[in-house]
Amino acid sequence: PRHCKIVGTLGPASSEEKVIRELIEAGLDIVRLNFSHGSHDTHLKNIEMVRRISREVGRQVAILQDLQGPKIRCGKLIDNVQTIQAGKSYQLVFGTEQKAKDIIPVDFREFVHDIKVGQRVLMDDGLLVFEVSNLTDDVATIVAKENGTLKNRKGVNFPDARLSLPSMTEKDSRDLLFGIAHHVDYVALSFVQRAEDVRQLKNMIKALGSDVPVIAKIEKLSAVEEIEAIAAVADGLTVARGDLGVEGDVERVPTLQRRIIDAAAALGRPVIVATQMLESM
């Protein structure tokens, strides 16, 4: 018997009935719906299709709702692009649109109070690396470590800082209501930093009259530091290898992965190992 389950994400290329049927017949155990993309109508269509096909095929297939979480992004840039030069200083400020070249807006207001001089700032999935050189009440001066190009709405990471971001956004709350109403089997919480993040989601689920299990996605180094406490309150963990590779050095990912799996195994929690499985495993 196969003890390891297979999780597959449905996207535009895999949301046709013929493809979903082939996936389930090939052994798909859990369908992941990524709520960073798509509308509620699209997700509902997939939920209904998966459940109908799984009944017809005679295989139990669970549905995992993956909440987007508080993703930090840069704003709209002048000319839609910013050339980054190694050794040059840039100002990081809260905002939605770039007011001048060399000023980079981000959509998280409190970041200046969460970071420290000497810490790293990563953009565009780690392709651009900066170091914080100075801080004021509303501006962080950062120095580029290499040349590159920054485009509109690319992601911004602060891997060395513990951020004061809420674990659930307004969008996540609306998506959670949808998921509970349509009886998803699991809810995954993105960008978990501490055990309290999981407790807050569980309290929301309980208030909605449900007890759907919560999967804590471990994609930040601050979460790895708290992994035992997080594993104790979560119903399962996800090793988000791609994000961990951005936050930390890529060569550290196998060690981080093993630590997360060990923490879950010690408590009998299931673990999802995700991202680039066929490329790098």
Side-chain angles (χ1 to χ4, degrees):
R2 176 164 59 87
H3 298 292
C4 182
K5 306 296 183 182
I6 299 173
V7 183
T9 300
L10 291 192
S14 56
S15 293
E16 298 294 329
E17 179 168 347
K18 178 177 181 294
V19 178
I20 292 176
R21 185 179 297 275
E22 290 174 347
L23 289 169
I24 292 174
E25 290 176 341
L28 185 66
D29 298 292
I30 300 172
V31 164
R32 171 180 173 263
L33 301 178
N34 184 1
F35 276 71
S36 295
H37 307 286
S39 65
H40 284 183
D41 288 342
T42 301
H43 291 305
L44 179 57
K45 176 187 173 185
N46 285 333
I47 289 172
E48 292 174 342
M49 198 183 312
V50 167
R51 289 196 168 130
R52 175 173 57 80
I53 294 173
S54 66
R55 286 194 302 269
E56 293 171 0
V57 173
R59 291 195 72 251
Q60 192 78 14
V61 179
I63 293 175
L64 167 66
Q65 177 186 30
D66 195 338
L67 300 175
Q68 175 177 306
K71 179 76 172 179
I72 303 172
R73 297 184 183 277
C74 69
K76 186 178 186 304
L77 305 173
I78 297 172
D79 300 326
N80 299 317
V81 69
Q82 168 79 58
T83 299
I84 302 299
Q85 298 177 359
K88 188 172 180 178
S89 293
Y90 299 86
Q91 290 187 320
L92 206 60
V93 302
F94 170 71
T96 57
E97 291 191 18
Q98 189 177 42
K99 304 299 184 183
K101 287 289 188 179
D102 304 340
I103 296 178
I104 302 174
V106 295
D107 58 6
F108 174 40
R109 185 183 297 274
E110 301 300 323
F111 78 93
V112 174
H113 305 295
D114 294 340
I115 63 178
K116 298 177 181 178
V117 171
Q119 292 184 338
R120 292 171 297 157
V121 179
L122 310 179
M123 298 185 192
D124 194 5
D125 292 334
L127 294 177
L128 297 170
V129 181
F130 303 82
E131 183 176 301
V132 180
S133 63
N134 188 58
L135 291 170
T136 66
D137 286 341
D138 53 7
V139 177
T141 302
I142 57 176
V143 179
K145 294 298 183 181
E146 53 205 41
N147 296 321
T149 302
L150 178 65
K151 297 180 181 178
N152 288 336
R153 302 295 296 157
K154 289 298 184 180
V156 180
N157 294 70
F158 301 92
D160 305 321
R162 188 180 297 276
L163 302 177
S164 55
L165 279 168
S167 59
M168 292 280 290
T169 65
E170 289 184 17
K171 179 185 184 309
D172 293 330
S173 297
R174 293 193 299 271
D175 290 341
L176 178 65
L177 283 168
F178 170 86
I180 297 299
H182 294 286
H183 308 290
V184 297
D185 299 293
Y186 303 93
V187 175
L189 182 61
S190 297
F191 303 109
V192 171
Q193 295 191 89
R194 55 187 74 84
E196 185 58 30
D197 295 339
V198 180
R199 290 194 193 96
Q200 288 177 0
L201 175 56
K202 286 199 155 197
N203 288 337
M204 293 179 67
I205 291 172
K206 185 177 180 180
L208 294 171
S210 176
D211 61 352
V212 61
V214 172
I215 307 297
K217 293 172 65 181
I218 310 302
E219 44 203 326
K220 298 186 70 63
L221 296 179
S222 55
V224 178
E225 294 171 3
E226 303 282 338
I227 192 60
E228 287 76 16
I230 293 171
V233 297
D235 300 293
L237 303 177
T238 290
V239 183
R241 291 156 45 83
D243 285 283
L244 286 172
V246 171
E247 290 258 328
D249 297 323
V250 175
E251 58 268 25
R252 292 181 60 196
V253 171
T255 304
L256 298 173
Q257 176 175 311
R258 174 51 58 192
R259 181 177 174 187
I260 296 165
I261 292 173
D262 287 347
L267 297 169
R269 303 282 195 264
V271 188
I272 300 170
V273 181
T275 314
Q276 299 175 345
M277 296 299 294
L278 300 180
E279 293 180 22
S280 61
M281 289 289 281

